[in-house]
Amino acid sequence: MRNGGGGDEAEVSASSRAIVDLIAHSAVRAGAAAAERYELLDRLRVVAAEETGAAWTAPDDLAWRDLRAEVAAALRISERAAHTQLDLARRLIHDFPRTLAALRIGDLPETHARALVHESDGLSAPSLEPYEDQMLRASGLGITRFERLAQRVRASLEPEALIERHREAVQERRVGLEAAPDGMAWYGALLPAEQAVGAAAAVSGLARALKVEGETRTLSQLEADVFRDLIIDAAGVVPPSLPGAAVVPSPAARRGVRPEVLLQVPVLTAMGLDDAPAALDGYGPIDAETARELCTQAPGFIRILTDPADGATKSFGRTTYRVPAELKRFLRTRDEVCRFVGCSRSAALCDIDHTVPWQEHGETVETNLAHLCRGHHRLKERGRWRVRHDPGGVLSWTSPTGRKYETKPAPWPRPRVGAPPKPMTGWLVVNRDEPPGSGAPPF
């Protein structure tokens, strides 16, 4: 049956419930075992440093390679993976002791502990504690959303560093051809190998033709720029297939296709008064300079009101005549992903579901709508998983065995310690072509 939080469910045996409880408990034991392994790895590192001079700061030194090989043999992993394990253990013990403690008692899965450490790369020492504090508060998120939040928190704590890192990363742009099984290959898409190789050759040929006197870009940069222009330049042209043939409009230009890109930018960043990072839908945090450049190209804005204390969305402005299209954008920003337990499918690829179904008098309002991927939408309509829409956009799920789970809206970083208070206004920047009032209502 279909339901939004009530009704009968198929009988679930006590045996099934007991087995699910045992599975959950086994995950806690696995976390405790992982914590013990990391403690032992770091103890071994310290002893090796005292006895042989092995130092993680000199990874090519024979003493360190000797230690790395020993760990690899004991764990039956590669030496590269052993190096990663040793470094992860060192950082958990010395930089993130509360994360290690949460792992030991089952409050944080090992996947999350690894992600927390990995995403902290580049943070200065004073930022590590507030970073860890915010991430431990979000331990209930699925791993994909947890990683995205870690990226946002890191960017919010040191936004100026993000600007500089982006400038450096842009210089490293390039294209890549990667072999795949069964005669396939990756080149921006999974293609038959001969087509992928041909596409790579075509892009390389165009790039080489642009490498003329006075051109300062490297060949790798030119190849990346050619690839980009061919894909996203709606006013571009397709290069001739034969020498002397005429160029033709790109498929995007012929069809009038222009992509919609959602970008959430703090108002002070958009005004140039602050360098707090923005968030690009489907990607994550981007630096303030890039966000401001995108703002100058945006044909429209939707105002979103957020809480200055925790970044929680409070309300949204209405700049179009009809609410539904605007509401859809608000929900996409709020949810980010499918709101079923543990799912990370992008909201852009999901259905907008009425928690209380329309035929049961459910309303088309923010407090009764959430994104569900098609598979979980069908699972919910089957009726064995029950869901309730709680205040703040929280969905409370009850599984067939009676276990309770919550999924929450996309979390946002808390303001930096010592940062001046900011107004409760942010902007959702919308790259769109439809006139005000267009768009179908959610279903």
Side-chain angles (χ1 to χ4, degrees), residues 22-38:
L22 289 172
I23 291 171
H25 186 59
S26 73
V28 174
R29 294 199 309 271
E36 180 183 20
R37 182 176 73 253
Y38 290 128

Side-chain angles (χ1 to χ4, degrees), residues 75 89 163 179 188 202 229 239 246 294 320 350 359 373 398 400 430 442:
L75 295 180
I163 294 174
D229 292 344
L294 291 172
T320 60
C350 293
Q359 61 269 33
C373 70
T398 302
V430 184

Side-chain angles (χ1 to χ4, degrees), residues 302 316-329 364 432 434-442:
I302 296 176
F316 63 102
R318 296 180 177 179
T319 58
T320 60
Y321 178 73
R322 294 175 62 189
V323 175
E326 197 173 293
L327 180 57
K328 286 170 68 177
R329 293 190 181 94
T364 303
R432 65 184 192 274
E434 74 270 19
S438 67

Side-chain angles (χ1 to χ4, degrees), residues 46-128:
V46 172
V47 170
E50 295 171 349
E51 294 179 349
T52 68
W56 64 272
T57 53
D60 294 326
D61 185 79
L62 287 176
W64 177 263
R65 295 191 65 181
D66 187 46
L67 170 63
R68 188 179 68 186
E70 181 75 48
V71 171
L75 295 180
R76 289 182 286 184
I77 58 178
S78 69
E79 291 189 26
R80 188 172 185 176
H83 178 91
T84 299
Q85 288 275 301
L86 284 162
D87 189 57
L88 178 59
R90 178 185 62 83
R91 297 207 62 201
L92 279 170
I93 302 297
H94 301 282
D95 293 340
F96 300 111
R98 288 184 296 154
T99 299
L100 183 67
L103 175 63
R104 184 183 297 109
I105 63 176
D107 284 352
L108 192 73
E110 185 180 3
T111 52
H112 291 53
R114 289 199 303 262
L116 186 151
V117 173
H118 174 71
E119 297 296 346
S120 71
D121 286 350
L123 278 178
S124 62
S127 296
L128 295 180

Side-chain angles (χ1 to χ4, degrees), residues 138-142 145 338-343 385-399 403-409:
S139 61
L141 292 177
R145 297 183 75 198
C338 168
R339 294 293 305 282
F340 191 78
V341 183
C343 188
W385 282 83
R386 293 176 293 158
V387 60
R388 184 181 68 245
H389 206 127
D390 291 335
V394 175
L395 296 190
S396 296
W397 292 89
T398 302
S399 77
R403 295 181 68 85
K404 308 291 185 181
Y405 303 91
E406 282 188 351
T407 66
K408 299 180 180 180

Side-chain angles (χ1 to χ4, degrees), residues 338-426:
C338 168
R339 294 293 305 282
F340 191 78
V341 183
C343 188
S344 59
R345 188 166 181 81
S346 170
L349 304 175
C350 293
D351 301 338
I352 299 180
D353 170 65
H354 287 74
T355 305
V356 177
W358 177 264
Q359 61 269 33
E360 296 177 17
H361 308 293
E363 298 183 68
T364 303
V365 292
E366 170 201 343
T367 53
N368 191 48
L369 295 171
H371 284 87
L372 293 178
C373 70
R374 187 59 55 87
H376 288 133
H377 195 167
R378 291 172 177 169
L379 196 67
K380 178 230 177 192
E381 296 206 350
R382 186 173 179 229
R384 299 193 70 206
W385 282 83
R386 293 176 293 158
V387 60
R388 184 181 68 245
H389 206 127
D390 291 335
V394 175
L395 296 190
S396 296
W397 292 89
T398 302
S399 77
T401 61
R403 295 181 68 85
K404 308 291 185 181
Y405 303 91
E406 282 188 351
T407 66
K408 299 180 180 180
W412 289 91
R414 301 160 77 193
R416 286 174 287 171
V417 175
K422 297 179 182 179
M424 288 178 61
T425 306

